[in-house]
Amino acid sequence: MLNIKGHAVPQGHYIDGAWVPGANTYSIFSPINGEALGELPAGAQSNVDAAISSAAAAFPQWAALGAQGRLPYLQRFAEEIGKRKDALCDVESTDAGILLSRLQHGIIPRSMLNITWFAEAALSLQDKLIDTPQAQHFVRHDPAGVCAIITPWNAPLMLTTWKLGPALASGNTCIIKPPEWAPLSSALLMDAAHAAELPPGVLNMVHGEGQPTGAYLTADSRLSRISFTGSVSTAREIGKVAAENLVPCSLELGGKSPFIVLADADVDLAARTGALMYRNATQVCLAGTRFLVHDSLLAEFTEKMAGYVASLSVGDPQLEKTEVGPLIHPRQLQRVEAFVDRAVKGGAEVLWGGTRHEAGELYYAPTMLGNVHQDDEIVQKEVFGPVLVMQSFSSDEEAIAMANATDYGLGGVCFGEESHAKSISFQVRTGFIWVNSFGIRDLAAPFGGCKKSGIGREGGDWSFEFFCDIKDVIVPKKPFSPSFAQR
Ligand code: NAD
């Protein structure tokens, strides 16, 4: 067991309902202060094999339970997550650097809901009837089989439960491969599943790095689905092996989302919302990171947003007052610094920030770069750190063209008079866009990106469409008479 702030965290893989040690280990650290947190097993091919065998063996019985039969298990799972609230908050804040307050008030309740909402929604996943003069078509949602679930470090608990909820509720069995930089909340999730008496094999976890452990998992031809959230480059690797095995993938990837401020926007509300983009040190896929501001408002908006950003409290994510925490890892800090260096050498102007922050080793000051151009790397590529860019436009057409001129298409934000902002939002090519707001989500709504931001949608019915095999059972209305001339 690891001891994280007084909470015991199991250290092994979780396979077939039991904790399994590993031969090799890797070390984990807290981004808050670099403190060594301990060692975890690095999953070998044999661990992945065992987890997939266990999930495959558990599948028929779990699927046969039906949504009604699975409901009490999943309700108990959510209750057990709730019982571990303090541990999950302390542990995920310690290993992922996420704000403790956000975990307490947002992420833990949402993680419980991710399980119960889909468990209940699955009850109404009834056969859809297509009634024609010839026949009745009973369209069924059958569970697909064994699912691999792979998530990144920036929101491990939220993203893992968001995928596990619909996968388990619709009758699949799962193997999760937690993010290696923030794996500990996944261990507590397995502990919760164990206490909830989920049948052995229904939910398994193999720790380890993307290479080789994640790759062992995604290459296995016994999988029926791969649900992945992470970077474009990893998605390409996974896509290749999934294509080889013809395994459907859901890919939720990065973004470079526009934050548009139209001429008729409420400048103060837009500027206050703009400062929110530094939440989790902008290690947030859906943050608006390219500010596109109408010429007439540029000076006023910049001044107001600078004021709100100056008052942000950067520091230890476990302190109540903190609003912006650390970057996850020294490699992420180097990546952020290198982006800023290259941008400044290319002529970008630092409007604020642009340096490390005094709060500690892995803290970077909320930064805004101006004087950037559409083709610049800093405008095109995802930084995944607290570095935003500001550009201006003079017409709606120009704003839309600039918003759409990157390879990404995840999300967006648009401030302006409501009907105006809505009409612009309809023309921005992304998976979702917030009008005069940010971050409003609902489990029934679709989530995902277009262009290089992903393939597929999860959320509500879209999750069930992905995690199920759709089958048409056709029953003729008149006695059937076999004929070679039949259409
Ligand atoms: P990453 O792709 O490096 O890693 C994600 C996960 O994939 C990790 O668990 C990692 O171990 C695993 N992995 C790595 N190589 C693998 C391989 N070859 N086979 C199987 N698994 C492998 O991404 P990251 O740096 O951890 O996360 C940041 C990225 O995630 C950013 O691009 C961010 O925008 C994106 N993200 C997207 C969303 C979304 O919903 N669209 C949400 C959060 C983060």
Side-chain angles (χ1 to χ4, degrees):
M1 289 276 180
L2 297 176
N3 180 340
I4 308 292
K5 295 196 82 161
H7 305 288
V9 181
Q11 232 168 330
H13 307 300
Y14 184 72
I15 300 172
D16 205 30
W19 293 98
V20 176
N24 299 319
T25 60
Y26 69 99
S27 310
I28 45 170
F29 300 88
S30 172
I32 299 176
N33 50 16
E35 179 195 353
L37 299 177
E39 301 284 313
L40 285 181
Q45 177 78 62
S46 57
N47 302 124
V48 172
D49 273 351
I52 296 182
S53 298
S54 167
F59 174 66
Q61 274 193 327
W62 182 246
L65 277 179
Q68 190 69 53
R70 291 185 288 269
L71 181 66
Y73 287 100
L74 296 175
Q75 284 172 330
R76 280 204 303 271
F77 184 24
E79 279 163 25
E80 293 294 337
I81 294 173
K83 286 184 196 165
R84 286 158 184 73
K85 180 176 179 180
D86 290 346
L88 282 164
C89 287
D90 285 344
V91 162
E92 180 129 304
S93 171
T94 300
D95 82 340
I98 295 172
L99 296 186
L100 194 61
S101 56
R102 188 163 150 64
L103 279 153
Q104 286 163 338
H105 305 299
I107 293 173
I108 303 294
R110 167 67 194 273
S111 298
M112 294 167 68
L113 193 64
N114 281 342
I115 304 298
T116 53
W117 191 93
F118 283 105
E120 284 161 22
L123 297 176
S124 50
L125 255 194
Q126 286 151 348
D127 293 345
K128 179 183 170 198
L129 176 65
I130 301 175
D131 203 13
T132 72
Q134 257 195 323
Q136 288 187 310
H137 297 250
F138 297 92
V139 181
R140 295 180 55 83
H141 284 73
D142 289 340
V146 176
C147 303
I149 290 183
I150 301 185
T151 48
W153 43 262
N154 69 317
L157 187 57
M158 213 298 284
L159 290 170
T160 304
T161 50
W162 150 259
K163 293 174 186 296
L164 280 182
L168 294 174
S170 52
N172 302 285
T173 53
C174 299
I175 300 111
I176 66 170
K177 205 296 285 165
E180 56 270 43
W181 286 349
L184 296 181
S185 63
S186 296
L188 289 177
L189 266 188
M190 296 306 105
D191 189 48
H194 193 82
E197 297 181 345
L198 256 64
V202 166
L203 180 51
N204 304 273
M205 174 189 72
V206 181
H207 280 300
E209 296 185 277
Q211 282 287 4
T213 310
Y216 292 145
L217 177 60
T218 50
D220 197 293
S221 61
R222 289 171 291 173
L223 293 180
S224 294
R225 294 288 188 275
I226 300 171
S227 176
F228 170 77
T229 298
S231 64
V232 171
S233 56
T234 305
R236 287 202 170 101
E237 295 298 313
I238 291 177
K240 281 181 209 156
V241 292
E244 196 60 42
N245 293 326
L246 293 178
V247 176
C249 295
S250 165
L251 304 173
E252 298 192 345
L253 313 177
K256 193 76 185 180
S257 302
F259 187 116
I260 305 168
V261 184
L262 298 170
D264 46 16
D266 175 336
V267 181
D268 190 63
L269 182 63
R272 261 190 298 143
T273 310
L276 273 186
M277 300 306 113
Y278 293 112
R279 193 173 77 186
N280 212 26
T282 323
Q283 300 167 117
V284 177
C285 61
L286 46 72
T289 50
R290 288 186 294 135
F291 281 69
L292 303 174
V293 183
H294 191 268
D295 282 340
S296 63
L297 299 179
L298 186 64
E300 185 189 356
F301 177 81
T302 306
E303 193 189 326
K304 275 195 189 285
M305 183 166 162
Y308 287 120
V309 173
S311 69
L312 289 174
S313 170
V314 180
D316 183 341
Q318 297 183 332
L319 299 178
E320 186 75 33
K321 62 170 190 178
T322 301
E323 290 161 306
V324 180
L327 294 169
I328 184 76
H329 194 274
R331 287 226 298 271
Q332 199 66 12
L333 177 69
Q334 285 158 16
R335 177 184 157 88
V336 168
E337 288 188 311
F339 262 111
V340 173
D341 276 358
R342 288 192 297 270
V344 169
K345 283 194 184 112
E349 179 193 356
V350 177
L351 299 177
W352 55 80
T355 57
R356 291 186 187 195
H357 192 278
E358 64 204 10
E361 195 82 354
L362 288 183
Y363 295 77
Y364 198 84
T367 295
M368 180 68 85
L369 301 178
N371 194 32
V372 294
H373 306 98
Q374 198 63 39
D375 292 338
D376 292 353
E377 177 197 57
I378 197 72
V379 176
Q380 291 292 328
K381 299 274 184 248
E382 182 185 49
V383 177
F384 221 51
V387 178
L388 313 176
V389 292
M390 181 91 77
Q391 294 172 281
S392 67
F393 63 85
S394 56
S395 68
D396 286 357
E397 294 69 30
E398 195 186 2
I400 294 162
M402 290 168 83
N404 286 334
T406 75
D407 285 343
Y408 290 108
L410 187 59
V413 179
C414 187
F415 276 86
E417 181 279 321
E418 190 173 304
S419 60
H420 184 196
K422 236 168 87 184
S423 111
I424 299 294
S425 298
F426 288 160
Q427 298 171 72
V428 175
R429 221 182 132 209
T430 55
F432 51 89
I433 182 162
W434 285 286
V435 172
N436 292 329
S437 58
F438 173 73
I440 299 168
R441 298 271 305 270
D442 194 284
L443 287 171
F447 184 82
C450 38
K451 301 199 277 183
K452 298 287 184 286
S453 289
I455 297 180
R457 295 288 178 276
E458 294 187 32
D461 290 346
W462 292 269
S463 289
F464 290 130
E465 296 285 313
F466 174 69
F467 284 113
C468 293
D469 284 330
I470 311 296
K471 181 163 74 189
D472 185 12
V473 177
I474 306 137
V475 182
K477 284 189 171 165
K478 294 184 202 134
F480 183 66
S481 138
S483 155
F484 283 104
Q486 191 188 12
R487 172 158 74 93

